[in-house]
Amino acid sequence: MHMVKSSIKVVPFTESMYEEVAKWYTSHGWEMAPVLEMLPDVGFVAVDEAGNKHAVGFLYSTNSNMYLLEWTATNPASGLKTRAKALKSIVKRVQQLTKLEKPLARVIQLTPNESIIRTYERLGFKKTEQGTMLLWS
């Protein structure tokens, strides 16, 4: 288990990180990880000073004042506090970025994960819908 380091920084996701973070999704009970080709150009990974990766998230832009922060996941080998801190770091970075690009924009996250929901609520997100199922073709 990774120990909490003194700082977490958010770095851009690169394709070379995919194999490692893809395992996190199935470790958390997802049926499958997102397909690399479905991911947007903008993704973030929270890393500690030693380079350990703790969380990931991907930002989809829309043609409106809305962004989707999706495919957020945490490293199951990281401690709970580290995961929460890492996820918060990614959300805060996304909020900063989106406010610069579109000051009136909203960031939306779709998730059934109660832990992620609680983290987002602490960062000012409001629940708008429950019981949504993600489908794709």
Side-chain angles (χ1 to χ4, degrees), residues 48-100:
D48 63 25
E49 293 169 341
N52 298 309
K53 297 170 193 69
H54 299 288
V56 65
F58 297 91
L59 186 65
Y60 291 84
S61 296
T62 70
N63 62 355
S64 68
N65 276 333
M66 182 179 80
Y67 291 89
L68 297 171
L69 177 56
E70 286 298 326
W71 304 112
T72 54
T74 57
N75 184 343
S78 301
L80 289 175
K81 288 182 181 180
T82 301
R83 286 187 267 176
K85 183 177 180 180
L87 185 58
K88 285 178 189 176
S89 297
I90 289 175
V91 173
K92 286 178 181 179
R93 176 69 181 102
V94 164
Q95 289 173 321
Q96 292 168 349
L97 176 67
T98 58
K99 291 298 178 205
L100 286 174

Side-chain angles (χ1 to χ4, degrees), residues 27-54:
S27 293
H28 283 298
W30 294 46
E31 290 188 33
M32 62 184 288
V35 177
L36 180 61
E37 292 75 22
M38 289 178 50
L39 297 174
D41 293 337
V42 180
F44 299 103
V45 177
V47 299
D48 63 25
E49 293 169 341
N52 298 309
K53 297 170 193 69
H54 299 288

Side-chain angles (χ1 to χ4, degrees), residues 122-133:
R122 284 188 214 107
L123 294 169
F125 282 68
K126 306 283 185 244
K127 285 183 187 176
T128 60
E129 186 176 335
Q130 294 182 356
T132 301
M133 175 63 68

